[in-house]
Amino acid sequence: MKPITTESHEHDPPADAGWDYSPAPERTPVPIDESYGLFIDGSMRAPLSRKRFETINPATEDVLSSIADAGAKDVDAAVQAAKKAQGPWARLKASERAKYLYRIARRIQERSRELAVLETMDGGKPIKESRDVDLPLTAQHFFYHAGWADKLAYAFPGRTPKPIGVCGQIIPWNFPLMMAAWKLAPALACGNTCVLKPAETTSLTALKLAEILQEVDLPPGVVNIVTGAGATGAALAEHPDVRKVAFTGSTEVGKVLARSVAGTSKKLTLELGGKSPNIIFADAAIDQAVEGVVSSIWFNQGHVCCAGSRLFVEESVVDEVVDKLRHRMQSLRVGDPLDKNTDIGAINSAEQLKTIERYVDAGEHEGAIMHEFSGQALPDKGYWHRPCFFTGVQPSHVIAREEIFGPVLSVMTFRTPEEAISRANNTPYGLAAGVWTNTGSKVFEIARKLDAGVVWCNTYNTFDAASPFGGFKESGFGREGGRHGLQSYVKF
Ligand code: ADP
């Protein structure tokens, strides 16, 4: 082979050729069918309702596929399939059930690039998030719960856990595949069967999961997937043969579901909204804390129910934090979610974009000061929102009280730890919180007093299948993940 010398210019591109890189693996097209049916009793079926809707790519507004809109009869067929499959599935040797979960996890890993790309195309989140967060955690949940399937007696010492029956599981659009895993894996490990309803804007990865369930030969009816919107979810939750309803989504719909199962013997778990506080003390490593704030609210467009949307900063360092935040915000990259360098992708839907814009207007109208990203121009098509933060925010302002679900942060200050705690807890929600300090004892003191299901210390948005996740107050009840999460899927 001819050596390349530094003097030689024969390998340089011609001056006008431009540099064409090979396409990044994430840009490889993913096979998407023109239309999808419902996954019932082990196979894909056309919907009895004969209704359909389109799912689009929120970054381009291109139609990706036609999705079945399941009606009450379709939901009934799915529940009946799950009911029929439940006895045999529960009687299967637990170690055999575990093998199915392992196989699902392995297949998710094998197809993770395709699934990550699809998640990004259908939902708008940056590929680095779906590739590095959603997919690994999805596989991890199946692996983790495969481990529990034959060890349930150890999870509940001295008691005999039994499956509940058919579980109706309704999930949102912010972590579509991961939420499916959070719901399905513990339910299956405990011997239940499932009917899963993905959110209407993000059905595609759940339908790919159906393919995986077929590939691993999961017995028909053990998992059924019905697509549709609110009416499909309501039909599922109200079905008399559903023994447990598991829901992740808005507090508003959570309340509707709580009313719909009231007076029945159905079990219910709700993982609802949040307005999570992120508290920075003056003794914290400020650069690290600012980076934590960036990932807690701006990455993933703020589409995280536990987003740290209220930032409380100790008064003596607020100027430094705000300066660094402003500087860091300008270096974010907003745009094509399939680009590996993108930090902030597309907003999931036109409706969600309108909601975010309404809150930003309300913030300005109420007198808070907006600091806005002024980097690259946003693409012409698709749904986009620039990251921004507000200072001069009062606790009474709408932007400090209500969940926005967008890249919008409210910055407030405090003087003492007591004030930080009381201001952080001054919300109807209680999903998550963050504390940034170099003092270990302060971490434990504050974490104990915060009304939040999860408190992250010197980090934020860190998840693990072994660690239970769930809320207090209007953020819901029940836990997902860990030993506590199993409790929602057994009876004694
Ligand atoms: P978000 O605000 O995150 O979109 P929603 O609570 O509206 O959350 O939706 C979460 C999930 O709940 C979606 O799958 C949606 O289709 C479903 N859903 C919406 N309304 C109802 C309802 N009345 N009953 C059951 N499920 C519903």
Side-chain angles (χ1 to χ4, degrees), residues 9 38 74 76 79 95 163 195 202 207 218 242 251 257 260 267 287 301 304 306 311 342 374 380 406 456-457:
H9 293 284
L38 304 167
D74 297 301
D76 181 54
V79 173
S95 56
V195 179
T202 51
L207 294 163
L218 188 74
V242 166
T251 296
L257 291 176
S260 106
K267 279 196 164 205
D287 287 341
Q301 307 78 246
V304 191
C306 50
L311 178 64
T342 293
S374 56
D380 295 334
W456 285 293
C457 298

Side-chain angles (χ1 to χ4, degrees), residues 417-431:
E418 291 69 31
E419 191 189 352
I421 294 162
S422 75
R423 297 194 71 179
N425 285 342
N426 182 16
T427 167
Y429 295 110
L431 192 53

